[in-house]
Amino acid sequence: RVDAGGTPSTGTGPTTDANPGTAAGNYIYTESSSCYGQVAILESPCIDLGGSPNPVFSFSYFMDGDAMGRLHVDIFVNGAWMEDLIAPKVGDQGASWLNDNVSLAAFTGNVVKIRFRGITGNSFTSDIALDDIQIGGVLPVELLDFNASYENTGRVKIDWSTKNEVSNDFFTVERSVDG
């Protein structure tokens, strides 16, 4: 389910999203009321890590409740699911959003899928919420520094340095009047 402002059950689930941290923001969650011991799956589309020197998968999770179940993160690579890419999150993790960052560097050069498996506990107090699911570092250029300065000639001077570039022949710089 997608929610904003808190899950229907008390004593479990968040009251705000992880980012920006307001009751108006959305997150996804498992509703465990009358769904004890059930598996919910959220699966990504294919993600090409072909030109990514150091891809990182990050997400926020909220697992507060006396009967909390388990959250597993799996990866599909080379035609098969590899379960538990990281150690499963098990039991009550507290009444706040937590973050995890997972290196996918071992899978560089592959097309992968990411799968969350949320398994509800034995009571309604096992809602599991997710937010801010991202894959970073998949761009072919990793910037170290970027500076722009206005010069007396009426021009803007732009300087940057990169940590690495993969299959990159040129940069396109665009201008905007409103940022």
Side-chain angles (χ1 to χ4, degrees):
R1 295 183 176 183
V2 175
D3 193 40
T7 60
S9 306
T10 59
T12 188
T15 56
T16 66
D17 63 344
N19 184 16
T22 67
N26 290 322
Y27 53 87
I28 58 173
Y29 76 102
T30 61
E31 175 54 57
S32 59
S33 298
S34 301
C35 294
Y36 313 139
Q38 298 297 305
V39 179
I41 293 178
L42 176 66
E43 185 176 311
S44 77
C46 291
I47 303 163
D48 187 355
L49 302 178
S52 307
N54 191 25
V56 176
F57 167 59
S58 62
F59 62 98
S60 298
Y61 62 98
F62 191 101
M63 297 174 65
D64 179 36
D66 294 336
M68 188 52 61
R70 300 182 307 277
L71 177 63
H72 299 265
V73 179
D74 309 326
I75 189 165
F76 186 82
V77 62
N78 297 324
W81 282 105
M82 183 179 102
E83 292 189 343
D84 296 328
L85 175 63
I86 58 173
K89 313 294 184 191
V90 179
D92 190 335
Q93 303 290 309
S96 62
W97 284 99
L98 301 171
N99 303 305
D100 209 337
N101 296 299
V102 182
S103 173
L104 298 178
F107 306 102
T108 296
N110 291 289
V111 174
V112 302
K113 288 184 182 183
I114 303 291
R115 175 177 71 188
F116 289 97
R117 284 182 295 130
I119 303 171
T120 59
N122 59 7
S123 173
F124 73 94
T125 57
S126 62
D127 293 349
I128 301 170
L130 296 169
D131 198 9
D132 267 357
I133 302 167
Q134 302 177 43
I135 301 284
V138 295
L139 295 175
V141 176
E142 188 173 347
L143 285 175
L144 286 175
D145 187 45
F146 182 90
N147 292 302
S149 59
Y150 182 77
E151 296 186 333
N152 291 336
T153 61
R155 296 178 183 221
V156 175
K157 180 180 178 185
I158 301 174
D159 290 305
W160 67 84
S161 60
T162 60
K163 181 175 180 180
N164 58 5
E165 299 178 30
V166 177
S167 302
N168 185 57
D169 296 330
F170 62 92
F171 290 91
T172 301
V173 178
E174 296 181 2
R175 178 177 175 253
S176 170
V177 293
D178 62 357

